[in-house]
Amino acid sequence: MSKKFILILLDGLGDRSFAELGHQTPLQAAHTPFLDHLAARGCSGLYHAGLSGQALPSENAHFAMFGYDPADFPGRGVLEALGAGISLDRDQVAVLAHFVSVREEDGKLRLMRDKVEADQEDARQAFDRVVQYSAHGVHIRLVPARGLFGVLVLTGEVSPCITDSNPILDGRLLSAVIPFEKEAGDGKCINTAAALTSYLSWSYGRLKDAQFNLAREKAGKIPLNGVVTQRAGRLKDREPFHVQNGIKGASISSGVVYQGLGSYLGLDVIPGAEKDDPGQEIQARVNAARRHLDEYDFIHVHTKAPDEAAHKKDPLLKKKVIESLEKGLSASLPGLLENEEVILAVTADHSTPSGGPLVHSGEPVPLVITGPGVRVDNVHKFDEISAACGALGPVRGKEFMYLVLNYLERSRLAGLMDAPVERPYWPGAGRPFVLE
């Protein structure tokens, strides 16, 4: 068997220090003897998918980790659409949308609650009220994705270069949908912004007096009377993962955005087991990776649990989730560690602060790589501070995939051109020499 690379991606693992944890991060404070064991037998460093201090969403961070340039990112709306099974044409625009609770003030809308709880019936009725609309020559279709979240598919003379209407923080006014400054004179951008503004205004009128909302208010529930939008995107030209990196890859994860990312990049998507206990979930996903080891060169094993815990703004909860993941990894990874053909990496895509107003923050995350041939440094703990002393040093963006190819013995020596297109891997996909 040729060498294999397994990436354990603990989404949002990085964090900030908190007084209630003795001015440590949740990862520092957690009891993680197995993760510390990995650090002691491997090489550590700090990873950031973009620029230090830059707060990245998961999809952008993964895009960079998988070896792609930020300029080629299609927008999260596209990935969610693909993950939800929505087919897109190249001239359409996909925009994330979800239902919220708003209050009208002098012709403006104030976001009262961004995340609203609702049962399936209320969600169905909300979608049914605003499912299709046309304005300014643009047809808008709202397709459900999960719960109160969906994707708007815009058809016509449209562009993704428009601002978000979602202000993210409760209590703020919804933002105007306008073209990007650099595209201010572009007719398609102007048209798209006008059509989406009209749709959002119409949606508020359709929802505010809907019978199901009147029933919700009578029952003391928060109304679903507004729609907010963000992260518009459009399909772009891209090379499949195996062409870009010269290896066959798979992703074991859950959630429409990761399924969409896998579909977009040509990674095989293996549905990850979903369990209430984070440790049992990651254990099941690692075991699935072991079963598919012969089929792939690179397997991405993902869990959203640390990120979800951090979004609840509770450092103690995140510490508890990390300790659960530790148990699941200690029960499932030893078999892979015994395989002399497996390189194992554990890291995160970004930091998610367990306190404060930020959704994600810009601190780098710990990275450890272990396996045959990997240097062993003097780091003996897996956390954001200890990893900074590791021999890997700071790793940025696409450099992660260069490390993967290096450890798989596939790294191309700079200057070699065994194919007409320069790639990061060797051997290249060149033609055989033919005698004349």
Side-chain angles (χ1 to χ4, degrees), residues 356-367:
L358 293 182
V359 178
H360 294 165
S361 58
E363 293 88 352
V365 297
L367 164 66

Side-chain angles (χ1 to χ4, degrees), residues 121-325:
E121 179 58 23
D122 282 356
R124 183 192 65 78
Q125 292 197 54
F127 275 101
D128 286 347
R129 298 284 294 180
V130 297
V131 68
Q132 292 197 66
Y133 184 75
S134 294
H136 302 275
V138 176
H139 180 70
I140 300 175
R141 177 169 58 102
L142 177 60
V143 184
R146 66 191 190 285
L148 297 174
F149 291 77
V151 178
L152 288 170
V153 179
L154 281 56
T155 305
E157 294 295 307
V158 291
S159 167
C161 300
I162 54 169
T163 59
D164 302 337
S165 65
N166 186 8
I168 303 296
L169 288 177
D170 293 349
R172 298 183 63 182
L173 292 171
L174 266 62
S175 305
V177 180
I178 58 177
F180 292 171
E181 185 173 305
K182 292 182 179 179
E183 313 289 340
D186 184 272
K188 290 184 178 181
C189 297
I190 295 170
N191 203 46
T192 306
L196 201 49
T197 297
S198 181
Y199 171 78
L200 295 177
S201 299
W202 172 79
S203 297
Y204 173 68
R206 290 279 294 168
L207 291 167
K208 66 177 181 178
D209 296 323
Q211 191 60 43
F212 81 93
N213 260 329
L214 297 177
R216 284 179 65 88
E217 294 189 69
K218 187 176 181 180
K221 297 179 180 179
I222 296 172
L224 297 171
N225 58 356
V227 176
V228 291
T229 55
Q230 62 193 76
R231 306 189 197 185
R234 169 179 274 162
L235 288 172
K236 292 186 176 184
D237 291 329
R238 76 285 188 191
E239 292 185 328
F241 183 85
H242 71 277
V243 174
Q244 174 79 14
N245 299 304
I247 53 177
K248 186 178 182 182
S251 174
I252 302 176
S253 56
S254 60
V256 292
V257 68
Y258 301 101
Q259 294 166 356
L261 183 63
S263 173
Y264 186 73
L265 296 181
L267 286 161
D268 286 352
V269 177
I270 301 170
E274 297 188 46
K275 299 180 181 294
D276 292 333
D277 180 80
Q280 293 178 5
E281 182 176 274
I282 195 67
Q283 181 177 348
R285 295 182 183 189
V286 170
N287 288 338
R290 291 181 65 183
R291 292 193 296 271
H292 290 278
L293 201 58
D294 290 339
E295 304 170 44
Y296 302 98
D297 307 298
F298 173 84
I299 303 179
H300 163 251
V301 182
H302 176 272
T303 175
K304 195 73 173 170
D307 185 68
E308 292 174 341
H311 284 310
K312 297 183 184 299
K313 301 302 180 182
D314 183 348
L316 294 174
L317 174 62
K318 188 170 181 179
K319 173 179 175 289
K320 181 179 179 181
V321 165
I322 291 169
E323 290 175 341
S324 177
L325 292 171

Side-chain angles (χ1 to χ4, degrees), residues 40-52:
R41 62 169 284 162
C43 198
S44 293
L46 289 176
Y47 178 70
H48 196 298
L51 302 174
S52 184

Side-chain angles (χ1 to χ4, degrees), residues 13-18 21-30 315 318-319 322 354 366 382-385:
L13 180 68
D15 213 316
R16 295 174 168 177
S17 61
F18 295 94
L21 297 176
H23 300 286
Q24 294 181 310
T25 69
L27 179 57
Q28 279 183 291
K318 188 170 181 179
K319 173 179 175 289
I322 291 169
S354 297
F382 181 75
D383 60 56
E384 301 94 331
I385 308 305

Side-chain angles (χ1 to χ4, degrees), residues 104-120:
E104 185 176 353
E105 298 179 4
D106 300 322
K108 303 179 180 68
L109 295 176
R110 188 175 299 279
L111 181 65
M112 303 309 296
R113 187 70 63 85
D114 184 54
K115 300 294 188 296
V116 185
E117 293 184 2
D119 58 27
Q120 287 185 339

